[in-house]
Amino acid sequence: MPPRPRTLAAAIVAALALGAQAVPAAAADDPAGDSTTTTSRGVEIPAFYTPPSELPGADGTLIRHEPLPLALSLPGIDGPLPGRATRLMYKSTDANGEAVAVTGAYIEPAARWRGDGPRPLVAVAPGTMGQGDQCAASMALEHPLQLNGQTVSVGYEDLSVYRLLLRGVAVVVTDYVGLGTTDRLHTYVNRVDGAHAVLDAVRAARALDSASVTSESRVGLFGYSQGGGATAAAAELQPSYAPDVQLAGTYAGAPPADLTEVTRAIDGSDLAGALGWSLNGFLQTEPALRPIADRYINEAGQEALKDLSTMCVGDALFGYGGDSSTDWTKTGQSISDVIRAEPVLQTFLAEQRIGSLKPAGPVRVATGTSDDLVPHGQARRLAVDWCGKGAQVTYVPVLLPGVGSGLLNHFAPLLTDQGSAISWLTDRLSGEPAGSNCWSMPVQP
């Protein structure tokens, strides 16, 4: 019998807690002089994360920055190891064309870059962290585990960041639109918002005076799950949105390219709470969908959406793991049933589909063949779609057996393939040409 989601969540959190210290978030000094702080599930969000009332005009412009202490850091002769971190806030543009402030972090590595050319830069797009501001990846670099009885937030993305730093690669991490910043809700898995946040993070890092990277530095993108969707979308939108950000390579692991299929898969799964994050994000982006939500979502569903809006992954696993969206609707229909019944929702999700544009530069698409949380089939189809457009695609099916848990089937390929993904990306950053195995897609699993 497969493990119950809540039991599984407890085991995962307990294991991760062995390698991280549970500490409360501390307020940070705000260079802009804004002393406003908020609290999310008992965690104080530093004043730094409150955007100013007016934003600069150019995308990627730095709004403010400050030193960021890394939780996992050692003293070195030339500075802290593996690097020196800076917390960032920068300007971006959301899916509605509105100016938005986004936070993140830049880490200058202590290790020397041994590849060809100047030190390169990789923008890391985090996997699913949650929707509460305390879940932001930049905060997780300072506090890898938030565990206070009200929230459970684990900075699992720190692993990929540190592995890149040890190779001498500079890293910028985005928190995405609305995650960390206290002025709006995180637009979870929004294709345009995610892509813009990633590309503008590169611009912000290059504008930082203390950074060694410049406009001459090669740029790579790295993301898995939600992050894989964001990097895949960024590779597609880069030519039109950020022509100044030339991409040497993009890694898109387990990308949620087709949200209609992903919605069906996560319903009733270990990470069923992600349905709530998706719905909340869609309503943030497109308020015109509100009447449809009001027509279908019952009182229990409304309470769940409100509850999830401040939750991190750990909270959602404990609170909503294994739940069905049929309990959230007045009709007893699932969210997937509602989507099939509402053409407006179908159109909205079709616009979120990744794969309709040719990506810039070489891309590596990896997907676990047993992944039933972010379904393998739709990720493979992204590679096929890109190949059909003449893109330079390296497709990697990660062959692992299914273990009866959607969360583990999704998480295991992240760990087993991460080293190979980083090696592929650093080869691109060194100027080594990428191949393509599009020719083999008809026989690839």
Side-chain angles (χ1 to χ4, degrees), residues 92-441:
S92 189
T93 298
D94 68 13
N96 294 322
E98 300 294 329
V100 60
V102 181
T103 53
Y106 171 80
I107 308 97
E108 178 76 20
R112 183 166 63 88
W113 168 243
R114 300 181 183 277
D116 180 62
R119 187 191 299 279
L121 174 66
V122 167
V124 171
T128 297
M129 305 298 290
Q131 206 159 42
D133 287 328
Q134 78 278 13
C135 319
S138 63
M139 294 188 198
L141 287 166
E142 184 176 4
H143 304 296
L145 179 63
Q146 296 278 10
L147 184 62
N148 64 358
Q150 298 183 55
T151 192
V152 180
S153 179
V154 180
Y156 62 88
E157 205 63 73
D158 294 3
L159 177 60
S160 62
V161 171
Y162 276 60
R163 294 180 79 163
L164 286 162
L165 293 173
L166 292 174
R167 293 183 180 229
V169 176
V171 175
V172 64
V173 182
T174 181
D175 290 333
Y176 298 123
V177 173
L179 191 58
T181 47
T182 58
D183 62 332
R184 62 171 62 199
L185 199 62
H186 172 42
T187 48
Y188 181 69
V189 297
N190 182 290
R191 177 179 68 93
V192 175
D193 281 12
H196 289 185
V198 169
L199 294 168
D200 286 328
V202 173
R203 289 165 159 162
R206 294 196 303 205
L208 192 64
D209 289 340
S210 59
S212 62
V213 296
T214 70
S215 59
E216 302 302 315
S217 299
R218 292 190 178 101
V219 175
L221 307 181
F222 186 97
Y224 188 89
S225 192
Q226 180 187 0
T231 58
E236 287 191 341
L237 294 179
Q238 178 271 326
S240 59
Y241 181 76
D244 54 307
V245 181
Q246 296 296 311
L247 299 177
T250 296
Y251 164 64
D258 185 339
L259 295 186
T260 300
E261 289 199 21
V262 175
T263 296
R264 186 181 305 112
I266 62 177
D267 200 345
S269 74
D270 305 350
L271 200 56
L275 268 179
W277 296 329
S278 300
L279 292 174
N280 284 334
F282 296 159
L283 293 173
Q284 168 80 34
T285 297
E286 186 51 79
L289 298 178
R290 174 62 66 181
I292 298 176
D294 291 342
R295 190 159 66 248
Y296 284 98
I297 304 299
N298 61 21
E299 185 175 349
Q302 296 288 356
E303 286 298 317
L305 295 183
K306 181 179 178 182
D307 195 25
L308 283 159
S309 71
T310 60
M311 281 188 168
C312 300
V313 170
D315 310 324
L317 291 175
F318 285 117
Y320 294 93
D323 287 3
S324 171
S325 67
T326 56
D327 296 331
W328 294 357
T329 62
K330 298 174 183 177
T331 60
Q333 294 170 281
S334 68
I335 296 299
S336 290
D337 290 335
V338 173
I339 291 170
R340 283 192 292 268
E342 295 289 341
V344 173
L345 294 179
Q346 295 170 28
T347 299
F348 181 85
L349 291 180
E351 292 172 350
Q352 296 294 326
R353 176 76 179 270
I354 306 170
S356 61
L357 300 171
K358 181 180 177 181
V363 292
R364 183 183 191 270
V365 178
T367 165
T369 56
S370 296
D371 191 342
D372 48 1
L373 195 65
V374 178
H376 164 69
Q378 58 87 46
R380 182 188 184 280
R381 188 163 61 250
L382 172 63
V384 171
D385 290 343
W386 277 347
C387 285
K389 298 182 185 305
Q392 198 172 10
V393 180
T394 298
Y395 170 73
V396 181
V398 183
L399 305 176
L400 293 173
V403 295
S405 162
L407 185 64
L408 290 182
N409 288 340
H410 179 60
F411 192 67
L414 164 67
L415 297 178
T416 58
D417 183 56
Q418 190 174 84
S420 297
I422 289 175
S423 293
W424 179 89
L425 189 56
T426 51
D427 284 346
R428 306 290 79 74
L429 297 173
S430 287
E432 296 184 23
S436 173
N437 62 354
C438 283
W439 60 270
S440 70
M441 289 307 300

Side-chain angles (χ1 to χ4, degrees), residues 50-68:
T50 300
S53 56
E54 295 186 8
L55 300 178
D59 291 320
T61 299
L62 276 171
I63 298 171
R64 62 178 71 134
H65 59 88
E66 68 176 13
L68 172 64

